[in-house]
Amino acid sequence: MTKDIAYKLIERDPTGARRGEFTTAHGVVQTPAFMVVGTEGFFRSTMPKDIQETGTQIALANTYHLSTAERFATVNRCGGLHRFMGWDGPILTDSGGFQVFSLPDRKIEEEGVTFTFKEGDKPIFLSPERSMEIQRTLGADIVMAFDECVGYPAEKEYVRRSADRTTRWAKRCREVSLGEHQFLFGIVQGGVFPDLRIKNAKDITSIPFDGFAIGGVSVGEGHDLMKSVVDHTAPLLPDDKPKYLMGVGMPEDLLEAVRGGMDMFDCVIPTRFARLGTLFTRTGKLRIKDKTYQKDKYPIDTNCGCYTCRTYSRMVLRYLFFSGDPLACSLATIHNVTFYQDLMRGIRSSIEEHRYEEFSRAFLQIYRKHQSQT
């Protein structure tokens, strides 16, 4: 068993939003927290120091992508994922479940899953034990149990069988020894069916994990069903452990999930959108490639203090995108990640001051009122 993650509840807002912190070998994480995704062990187009300067506390990397022989060997030769990434803060690795189960050619059995990365490749077998062994070697601070992530829509009977299999796999994951500094989180599944979520939450929380996650959202179910899943599941997770909503998401989704009592989030949206030229501002999203910004001398967001907004105008950033220069993606990523981390800082402060509802309402009123179509 790993040592205690030492989750501390600092304040609870009347809405149910939680302000807390937990401790890892690579630092303390203030929650609610948004994890920036470095899928293949790096932040696309952006240096780790730039991500760190946005206020990002914890990064996420993907076991599925790092499990190929050459990549895995390279990380191992580096002495682990922290040195490989050039990131000295906490890291969470997901189990690979979401990515594996999104592949069209896969075979799911009780022992694990057989899949291929590309057509014609040699089949790869991933079991709960193998996922744990890979994540142990990667050396992340937080390791996720191997689960089956079912897409939406799905037949209820299949979701039921899948959730039960996730429980059996979770028990097998917990039996595998990890590094002394590593924590293991369990994942609750059950699709969009409240009764299945309730049962699986009971089953998964009976296993002595260090934290708990809600999985199987952001798979096409939409905002309202995501909210329903959180409403039915989050209260069933232990209050003395971190609560992680996987794969979420848009600012409005984060705000709703925080109200539901969730502590941790991750999503590729801020970084992927940035590389495509969609930027987040306090008055909504904007497409920097639009002709509207051809002569615009303002920063992306006049209320943002990031390096990009302090240094470049919209028209220059637009020019860089059309020039095809990688600097455009770097600058856009710095801005979008800063926007997300500014939002999380505002969330944490508002919970401390028992004004989360006011903060959330005011943010969304401005954000939605002026939001551009993306």
Side-chain angles (χ1 to χ4, degrees):
M1 295 290 291
T2 55
K3 63 180 183 298
D4 186 11
I5 199 168
Y7 175 80
K8 177 183 177 183
L9 179 63
I10 296 172
E11 196 63 69
R12 188 188 294 272
D13 184 81
T15 61
R18 298 175 3 135
R19 168 74 174 92
E21 66 178 31
F22 62 85
T23 304
T24 75
H26 290 89
V28 177
V29 177
Q30 303 296 325
T31 63
F34 184 85
M35 297 179 282
V36 175
V37 178
T39 301
E40 298 180 44
F42 57 87
F43 305 109
R44 289 189 182 276
S45 76
T46 313
M47 291 187 289
K49 72 176 184 65
D50 293 328
I51 298 297
Q52 190 173 39
E53 288 174 1
T54 66
T56 298
Q57 305 173 80
I58 177 170
L60 182 147
N62 186 274
T63 299
Y64 163 82
H65 289 282
L66 291 168
S67 64
T68 60
E70 184 175 349
R71 292 176 182 175
F72 187 61
T74 301
V75 175
N76 201 13
R77 284 194 294 268
C78 284
L81 196 53
H82 288 86
R83 289 185 180 179
F84 179 83
M85 292 183 69
W87 180 261
D88 59 8
I91 298 175
L92 180 148
T93 45
D94 63 14
S95 66
F98 176 85
Q99 286 73 23
V100 168
F101 295 106
S102 65
L103 296 173
D105 298 322
R106 67 188 188 279
K107 184 179 180 182
I108 305 171
E109 300 172 299
E110 187 63 28
E111 283 304 304
V113 185
T114 303
F115 64 95
T116 55
F117 281 103
K118 298 177 183 178
E119 186 176 350
D121 282 358
K122 182 179 178 181
I124 298 172
F125 177 71
L126 191 61
S127 66
E129 291 81 7
R130 181 56 182 156
S131 176
M132 294 299 98
E133 290 166 1
I134 293 170
Q135 293 185 79
R136 179 176 62 205
T137 302
L138 293 175
D141 300 271
I142 299 174
V143 169
M144 300 304 298
F146 191 61
D147 66 323
E148 180 179 357
C149 181
V150 179
Y152 175 85
E155 293 293 332
K156 185 174 183 178
E157 179 56 26
Y158 182 83
V159 176
R160 183 192 64 77
R161 295 197 306 269
S162 171
D164 288 344
R165 180 164 46 237
T166 286
T167 299
R168 295 191 295 273
W169 285 356
K171 292 176 180 177
R172 289 164 59 184
C173 288
R174 183 69 278 187
E175 292 301 313
V176 178
S177 296
L178 298 174
E180 290 185 2
H181 74 287
Q182 292 182 305
F183 299 113
L184 179 60
F185 282 22
I187 304 173
V188 176
Q189 292 289 349
V192 297
F193 305 102
D195 57 329
L196 298 186
R197 285 284 176 179
I198 292 168
K199 180 183 183 300
N200 198 239
K202 181 180 179 180
D203 293 342
I204 295 296
T205 56
S206 70
I207 305 169
F209 287 115
D210 303 297
F212 295 91
I214 298 175
V217 293
S218 290
V219 291
E221 77 283 356
H223 176 82
D224 290 341
L225 284 175
M226 182 277 292
K227 179 181 181 301
S228 174
V229 168
V230 172
D231 288 346
H232 284 95
T233 312
L236 304 177
L237 306 182
D239 278 342
D240 61 346
K241 302 287 179 66
K243 303 182 183 186
Y244 168 26
L245 184 62
M246 305 181 76
V248 175
M250 299 297 286
E252 51 268 45
D253 295 332
L254 296 176
L255 289 165
E256 192 62 54
V258 167
R259 181 182 286 103
M262 301 306 293
D263 305 306
M264 301 166 63
F265 311 92
D266 80 278
C267 194
V268 298
I269 282 176
T271 49
R272 181 175 292 170
F273 276 33
R275 297 193 301 274
L276 296 173
T278 296
L279 305 174
F280 289 88
T281 79
R282 283 139 182 90
T283 56
K285 299 189 294 290
L286 62 83
R287 291 174 173 175
I288 197 63
K289 296 180 184 180
D290 285 356
K291 193 173 182 179
T292 307
Y293 307 112
Q294 188 173 8
K295 299 179 181 180
D296 194 328
K297 296 181 180 180
Y298 285 100
I300 300 167
D301 187 335
T302 55
N303 290 314
C304 179
C306 77
Y307 172 79
T308 304
C309 288
R310 296 196 314 268
T311 311
Y312 293 91
S313 64
R314 294 172 179 175
M315 68 178 185
V316 172
L317 190 56
R318 180 180 184 274
Y319 170 84
L320 291 171
F321 265 104
F322 279 104
S323 298
D325 195 294
L327 179 60
C329 294
S330 299
L331 295 172
T333 299
I334 289 169
H335 169 77
N336 273 2
V337 173
T338 299
F339 172 89
Y340 267 66
Q341 300 303 352
D342 282 350
L343 174 59
M344 302 315 293
R345 280 187 283 267
I347 286 172
R348 291 193 293 267
S349 294
S350 70
I351 296 172
E352 290 175 8
E353 298 165 3
H354 286 198
R355 55 176 186 84
Y356 180 71
E357 187 62 41
E358 176 188 347
F359 171 85
S360 178
R361 188 186 306 114
F363 176 90
L364 290 174
Q365 184 177 13
I366 297 172
Y367 181 79
R368 286 173 169 166
K369 181 178 180 181
H370 301 280
Q371 184 165 224
S372 302
Q373 184 179 1
T374 58

